[in-house]
Amino acid sequence: SFPKDDASKPPHLTAFMSYKAGMTHIVRDVDRPGSKLHKKEVAEAVSVVEAPPMVVVGFVGYVETPRGLRALTTVWAGHLSEEVKRRFYKAWHKSKQKAFTKYQKRWADASKASDGGAPMAAEIERAKKYCQVVRAICHTQVSKVKIGQKKAHIKEIQINGGTTAAKVDFVTGLFEQEVKVADVFSQ
């Protein structure tokens, strides 16, 4: 589960996706007063994790109901990479690869409109008005990890901090942008 939301903090992502690359070991000093090992060195197994930047491609707005969360609205970005579209198909090479072509057209028409209206404005307003929980739809860039896979992994990651409107603006600002590990976790 995601960490508890604190409205006083600025909006931020609460998780990151990465790949286990292997294992190694480290030698560290144990700082555990009262233990036999206190101030002694121990060798420990550690995992090596590879974390190429994730891409934000949409968000889901949830409403809190007595029976838990209910998804109210989903907004996707205007352009999805091939990696993420592959996830929607069993056999990509045999398919016509039409996923999201109509959505992209709607997005393009809305951004071309004379009033310069933001695409999916109605859905975004709806999310700002009614939703309590906002989660970003992110995918990994699996081509940057040499594992012979081309299909991206997709995950919803909760946005915590600030008001719902601030969260929605934060996510829409990240659409089609790369998010690095350093942006989510500090050292």
Coordinates of all heavy atoms in Angstrom, one line a residue, residues 46-84:
V46 N 23.5 -8.1 -0.7 CA 22.7 -6.9 -1.1 C 22.3 -7.1 -2.6 O 23.0 -7.8 -3.3 CB 23.5 -5.6 -1.0 CG1 23.7 -5.2 0.4 CG2 24.8 -5.7 -1.8
S47 N 21.1 -6.6 -3.0 CA 20.7 -6.7 -4.3 C 21.1 -5.4 -5.1 O 21.1 -4.3 -4.5 CB 19.1 -6.8 -4.4 OG 18.7 -8.0 -3.9
V48 N 21.5 -5.6 -6.3 CA 21.8 -4.5 -7.2 C 20.6 -4.2 -8.1 O 20.1 -5.1 -8.7 CB 23.0 -4.8 -8.1 CG1 23.3 -3.7 -9.0 CG2 24.2 -5.2 -7.3
V49 N 20.1 -3.0 -8.0 CA 18.9 -2.6 -8.7 C 19.1 -1.6 -9.8 O 19.8 -0.6 -9.6 CB 17.9 -2.0 -7.7 CG1 16.7 -1.5 -8.3 CG2 17.5 -3.1 -6.7
E50 N 18.6 -1.9 -11.0 CA 18.8 -1.0 -12.1 C 17.5 -0.2 -12.3 O 16.4 -0.8 -12.4 CB 19.1 -1.8 -13.4 CG 19.6 -0.9 -14.5 CD 20.1 -1.7 -15.7 OE1 20.3 -2.9 -15.6 OE2 20.2 -1.1 -16.8
A51 N 17.6 1.1 -12.3 CA 16.4 1.9 -12.3 C 16.4 3.0 -13.4 O 16.7 4.1 -13.2 CB 16.1 2.6 -11.0
P52 N 16.1 2.6 -14.7 CA 16.1 3.6 -15.8 C 14.9 4.5 -15.5 O 13.9 4.1 -14.9 CB 15.9 2.7 -17.0 CG 15.3 1.5 -16.6 CD 15.8 1.2 -15.2
P53 N 14.9 5.7 -16.1 CA 13.8 6.7 -15.8 C 12.4 6.1 -16.2 O 12.4 5.4 -17.3 CB 14.1 7.9 -16.6 CG 15.6 7.8 -16.9 CD 15.9 6.3 -16.9
M54 N 11.4 6.4 -15.5 CA 10.0 5.9 -15.8 C 9.4 7.1 -16.7 O 9.9 8.2 -16.6 CB 9.1 5.8 -14.6 CG 9.5 4.7 -13.6 SD 8.2 4.5 -12.4 CE 8.0 6.1 -11.7
V55 N 8.3 6.7 -17.4 CA 7.6 7.7 -18.1 C 6.2 7.8 -17.6 O 5.5 6.7 -17.4 CB 7.6 7.4 -19.6 CG1 6.8 8.5 -20.4 CG2 9.0 7.3 -20.2
V56 N 5.7 9.0 -17.3 CA 4.3 9.2 -16.9 C 3.4 9.3 -18.1 O 3.6 10.1 -19.0 CB 4.1 10.4 -16.0 CG1 2.7 10.6 -15.5 CG2 5.0 10.3 -14.8
V57 N 2.4 8.4 -18.2 CA 1.5 8.4 -19.4 C 0.0 8.6 -19.1 O -0.8 8.5 -20.0 CB 1.7 7.1 -20.2 CG1 3.0 7.1 -20.9 CG2 1.5 5.9 -19.4
G58 N -0.3 8.9 -17.9 CA -1.7 9.2 -17.6 C -1.9 9.2 -16.1 O -1.0 9.1 -15.3
F59 N -3.2 9.4 -15.7 CA -3.6 9.3 -14.3 C -5.0 8.8 -14.1 O -5.8 8.8 -15.0 CB -3.4 10.7 -13.6 CG -4.5 11.7 -13.8 CD1 -5.7 11.6 -13.1 CD2 -4.3 12.7 -14.8 CE1 -6.7 12.6 -13.3 CE2 -5.3 13.6 -15.0 CZ -6.5 13.6 -14.3
V60 N -5.2 8.2 -13.0 CA -6.5 7.7 -12.6 C -7.0 8.5 -11.4 O -6.2 8.6 -10.4 CB -6.5 6.2 -12.3 CG1 -7.9 5.7 -12.0 CG2 -5.8 5.4 -13.4
G61 N -8.2 9.0 -11.4 CA -8.8 9.6 -10.2 C -9.7 8.7 -9.5 O -10.6 8.1 -10.1
Y62 N -9.6 8.6 -8.2 CA -10.4 7.7 -7.4 C -11.3 8.5 -6.4 O -10.9 9.6 -5.9 CB -9.6 6.8 -6.5 CG -8.9 5.7 -7.3 CD1 -7.6 6.0 -7.8 CD2 -9.5 4.5 -7.6 CE1 -6.9 5.0 -8.5 CE2 -8.8 3.6 -8.3 CZ -7.5 3.8 -8.8 OH -6.9 2.8 -9.5
V63 N -12.5 8.0 -6.2 CA -13.4 8.6 -5.2 C -13.5 7.6 -4.0 O -13.6 6.4 -4.2 CB -14.9 8.8 -5.8 CG1 -15.7 9.7 -4.8 CG2 -14.8 9.4 -7.2
E64 N -13.5 8.2 -2.8 CA -13.6 7.3 -1.6 C -15.1 7.0 -1.4 O -15.9 7.9 -1.2 CB -13.0 8.0 -0.4 CG -11.5 7.9 -0.4 CD -10.8 8.8 0.6 OE1 -11.6 9.4 1.4 OE2 -9.6 8.8 0.7
T65 N -15.4 5.7 -1.4 CA -16.8 5.3 -1.1 C -16.8 4.5 0.2 O -15.7 4.1 0.7 CB -17.4 4.5 -2.2 OG1 -16.7 3.2 -2.2 CG2 -17.2 5.1 -3.6
P66 N -17.9 4.2 0.8 CA -17.9 3.3 2.0 C -17.3 2.0 1.7 O -16.9 1.3 2.7 CB -19.4 3.2 2.4 CG -20.0 4.4 1.7 CD -19.3 4.7 0.5
R67 N -17.3 1.5 0.5 CA -16.8 0.2 0.1 C -15.3 0.3 -0.4 O -14.9 -0.6 -1.1 CB -17.6 -0.4 -0.9 CG -19.0 -0.8 -0.5 CD -19.8 -1.4 -1.6 NE -19.8 -0.5 -2.8 CZ -20.5 -0.8 -3.9 NH1 -21.2 -1.9 -4.0 NH2 -20.5 0.1 -4.9
G68 N -14.6 1.4 -0.1 CA -13.3 1.6 -0.6 C -13.2 2.5 -1.8 O -14.2 3.3 -2.1
L69 N -12.1 2.5 -2.5 CA -11.9 3.5 -3.6 C -12.6 3.0 -4.9 O -12.7 1.8 -5.2 CB -10.4 3.6 -3.9 CG -9.5 4.2 -2.8 CD1 -8.1 4.2 -3.3 CD2 -9.9 5.6 -2.6
R70 N -13.2 4.0 -5.6 CA -13.8 3.7 -6.9 C -13.1 4.6 -8.0 O -13.1 5.8 -7.8 CB -15.3 3.9 -6.9 CG -16.0 3.6 -8.2 CD -17.5 3.8 -8.0 NE -17.9 5.1 -7.9 CZ -18.2 5.9 -8.9 NH1 -18.0 5.5 -10.2 NH2 -18.6 7.2 -8.8
A71 N -12.7 4.0 -9.1 CA -12.1 4.8 -10.1 C -13.1 5.6 -10.8 O -14.1 5.1 -11.3 CB -11.4 3.8 -11.1
L72 N -12.9 6.9 -10.8 CA -13.9 7.8 -11.4 C -13.6 8.2 -12.8 O -14.4 8.1 -13.7 CB -14.0 9.1 -10.6 CG -15.0 10.2 -11.1 CD1 -16.4 9.8 -10.8 CD2 -14.7 11.5 -10.5
T73 N -12.3 8.5 -13.1 CA -11.9 8.9 -14.4 C -10.5 8.6 -14.7 O -9.7 8.5 -13.7 CB -12.2 10.4 -14.6 OG1 -11.8 10.8 -15.9 CG2 -11.4 11.2 -13.6
T74 N -10.2 8.3 -15.9 CA -8.8 8.0 -16.3 C -8.5 9.0 -17.5 O -9.2 9.1 -18.4 CB -8.6 6.6 -16.8 OG1 -9.1 5.7 -15.8 CG2 -7.2 6.2 -17.1
V75 N -7.3 9.6 -17.4 CA -6.9 10.5 -18.5 C -5.5 10.0 -19.0 O -4.6 9.8 -18.1 CB -6.8 11.9 -18.1 CG1 -6.2 12.8 -19.2 CG2 -8.1 12.5 -17.6
W76 N -5.3 9.8 -20.3 CA -4.0 9.3 -20.8 C -3.4 10.5 -21.5 O -4.0 11.5 -21.9 CB -4.2 8.2 -21.8 CG -4.7 6.9 -21.2 CD1 -6.0 6.6 -20.8 CD2 -3.9 5.8 -20.7 NE1 -6.0 5.4 -20.2 CE2 -4.8 4.8 -20.2 CE3 -2.5 5.5 -20.8 CZ2 -4.3 3.6 -19.6 CZ3 -2.1 4.3 -20.2 CH2 -3.0 3.4 -19.7
A77 N -2.0 10.4 -21.7 CA -1.3 11.4 -22.4 C -1.6 11.3 -23.9 O -2.1 10.3 -24.4 CB 0.2 11.2 -22.2
G78 N -1.2 12.3 -24.7 CA -1.5 12.3 -26.1 C -0.7 11.4 -26.9 O -1.1 11.0 -28.0
H79 N 0.5 11.1 -26.5 CA 1.4 10.2 -27.2 C 1.9 9.1 -26.3 O 2.5 9.4 -25.3 CB 2.6 11.0 -27.8 CG 2.2 12.1 -28.6 ND1 1.8 12.0 -30.0 CD2 2.1 13.5 -28.3 CE1 1.5 13.2 -30.4 NE2 1.6 14.1 -29.5
L80 N 1.8 7.8 -26.8 CA 2.3 6.7 -26.0 C 3.4 6.1 -26.8 O 3.3 5.9 -28.0 CB 1.2 5.7 -25.7 CG 0.0 6.1 -24.9 CD1 -0.9 5.0 -24.6 CD2 0.4 6.8 -23.6
S81 N 4.5 5.6 -26.2 CA 5.6 5.0 -26.9 C 5.2 3.6 -27.3 O 4.2 3.0 -26.7 CB 6.8 5.0 -26.0 OG 6.6 4.1 -24.9
E82 N 5.9 3.0 -28.2 CA 5.6 1.7 -28.7 C 5.7 0.7 -27.6 O 5.0 -0.3 -27.5 CB 6.6 1.3 -29.8 CG 6.2 0.0 -30.5 CD 7.4 -0.6 -31.3 OE1 7.7 -0.1 -32.4 OE2 8.0 -1.5 -30.8
E83 N 6.7 0.9 -26.7 CA 6.9 0.0 -25.5 C 5.6 -0.2 -24.7 O 5.3 -1.4 -24.4 CB 8.0 0.6 -24.6 CG 9.4 0.6 -25.1 CD 10.3 1.3 -24.0 OE1 10.0 2.4 -23.6 OE2 11.2 0.6 -23.6
V84 N 5.0 0.9 -24.5 CA 3.8 0.8 -23.6 C 2.6 0.2 -24.4 O 1.8 -0.5 -23.8 CB 3.5 2.1 -22.9 CG1 2.9 3.1 -23.9 CG2 2.5 1.9 -21.8

